[in-house]
Amino acid sequence: MLPVEYYVGLSAILFTIGALGVLIRRNALVIFMSVELMLNAANLAFVAFARAYEAVSGQIFVFFVMTVAAAEVAVGLALIVTIFQNKQSIDVDQMNTMKG
Amino acid sequence: MLLSEAVAGGPQFFNLVPLVVFFPLIGLLVNLIFGGRLSEVLVGSIASLATGLAFVVAVLLVISLVGHPDGASIALADWITIGELQLRWGFQVDTLSVTMMLVVSGVGLLIHIYAIGYMHDDVRHNGDPSRYRRFFVFFNLFIVAMMILVSADSYLMLFVGWEGVGLCSYLLIGFWYDKGANGIGNALAAKKAFVTNRIGDFGFLLAAFTMFGIFRTFNFDEVFARVPEVAETFPIAILMITLFMLLGVAGKSAQIPLYVWLPDAMAGPTPVSALIHAATMVTAGVYLVARSFPLYAVVPMAQETVALIGGITALFAATIAVAQFDIKKVLAYSTISQLGFMVAAVGMGAVVAGMFHLVAHAFFKALLFLSAGSVIQGVERGEHHVEHSSKQKKSTKGSGGHFDPQDMRNMGGLRGQMKITFWVYLIGALALAGIPPLAGFWSKDEILLEASHLNPTVYYLLLAAAFFTAFYMGRQVVMIFFGRPRSDAAAHASESPLVMTVPLMILAGLSALGGLLNLPWTHTFGHFLEHTIKIEEAVQEIALGEEAAKASISFDPIVAAISVGLALVAIALAWWLYHRRYQEMLSLPPAKRPDDPLRGMLGPVFQLLENKYWIDELYWAVILNPYIAISRFLADQVDWRFWHDWFHDRVIAGGFNALTRLLSIRFDLGFIDAIANGLGSLTGKLAGRMRQFETGYVRTYALSVFLGVVIILGYLILR
């Protein structure tokens, strides 16, 4: 059985990729996918620790996260569609009306 | 009523005395409030009734005084109380004041009735019938003021009436204020009368103040009671009071040097001239001296001055009257002259003679003025008649172009058309000239008699004045009523209505029989007045000694003969000059014909008299023009240039402007505004810096959130 450090390390790598994707990419869909990547990195850490400590609560958290992620996808996609309808683009840098 | 209080000595009505003031006051209020809706006759009747009721009260007072000759002093109300000064509105009822009340209300009543008819024509002739009511309101107001004057029991209350009659005189002289020379002649005459009187009033006030300073009271009885005491300790004070008072008398009673207003006062309607400027108001000065006699009696110098001024005025004015052509101006100068007689009389100490002449003069001078009014209106009616019958060519004789119905040169021969007026005028003129047995003879003779004993200088002055009086009255009567009419208007003159002629006839009766009041053998009036003047005689006894006793001589045939002889000579001279010579003159061609036979005979002297010795011009040159120049200087240079232009504009306004400029620019803009603006710009600059953080890029915000989380986590892990 692989030690838990490997899982956590993978999870950290995935999370970092996701975070960098959110910060660097300009395409809203890609950012969205990066967010999913970060969520799933967290999920991976949850289940890894759940198996290592033989506790079920970590797995239950993962279920909650997946549910919330599903809801988040629904809302997020709806927002992206609306933004595209208004701007004919999903480039987040064009959404800079908050500029001071 | 006081009938129940009547005790031995007959009924007593003294408490009714306030009504002599209040009846005319009610009359004036009624006319003032309701008069606009009443007919002219009713307005006049109300005013006459008010005066008539005052007359009735005065008669009741006389009846009371017969039984109680000492009279009474009735307090009506408190007026002013300041410290020791206690003034009340009180009424002095004694023989002197009641005599004046009787004259004022009696003659006033007749003139009121006359005015009903006279003003009816006058307001139409002058083109404003709405002033009919105003006339009677003023007339009643005058009666009110005059009654306050004569019924006062203190000098200050007397002064209230004194000013009141002055005001009414002003209002009534300027009654046709929009008429006269250049449209303001009458207003100027009114102003002249008022201002001249103010100079006199100034003297009166100084006298009153001095009196209060010495006596600490204004009340007649209290002042007179202390006169002998003060006369010993401080006679100069009494001299000052009497001489200041003389200035007031000279103003009100038109004596030298303040007489100049009275001839101009003839601008008022004729009933005004009769009531105010002949019979009553102008005699207030005489009354004042008579009332203040205890004061005058102890300072012979003041008496001397008063008598001399009266005598000089009498002669001076009488000579001017000789050369006047305006029918009312002649009477005005005659009034000044007769007032001079009265002032001289009361000044000498012959109070009874002076008051007697005052009463008689009120009768015949009112009569003369009212008859003159009747003549003027008769001529005006004639003028209307002429205008209507021949409109294409107007007869205009006299003062070029404009017909003057008061100019005696335009009259003549009125005897035929105006029979009643002629006869009453003749009676008045003869009474004034001093022909026995008319009233003027007895009163004037008494003055002359007293003067011949007390003051020979004044006697000769008065005798000369009496001569001129007879002459100018003869001249006037001849010029108006005899000869041929000198204008078409005079030829067509007509008699006045009964409402005017009946009062004339009553006054003529009084002028004829007035002498009965005080015949030298009975001295009824003298004994009546004695009750008031008895204190004064006691004082006089101290001052004059046996001279006062001599003055009570009753009749001197020589004095009477001289005065009557002079009067007859003067009348004969007037007849000869103005009847005979005038007719001869008329045969000359009009261009060379002098308008007065005396002009050719006297030459420059006549010119001098016609121009009233140029006294008006002298006053203009000596007093008025310098005064106006000083006023101009003060107004233009001092007030306008210095105070307004320099001090006000430059110093105050300029200084204020400089100060506000300093405050607004340096302080307000430079300091207060700088604080507010600095705060604003500081905030703006700060915000400009801050806004650079707000890029608007979503990823920047995400990065900052991420870094925040990293920092917090790093902190939590590493601590």
Side-chain angles (χ1 to χ4, degrees), chain A residues 24-25 93 95-96 99-100, chain B residues 691 694-697 699 703:
Chain A
I24 291 167
R25 300 302 295 264
D93 278 2
M95 251 133 290
N96 61 351
K99 181 174 163 59
Chain B
R691 62 190 282 191
E694 299 286 332
T695 59
Y697 296 119
R699 291 175 302 144
L703 178 64

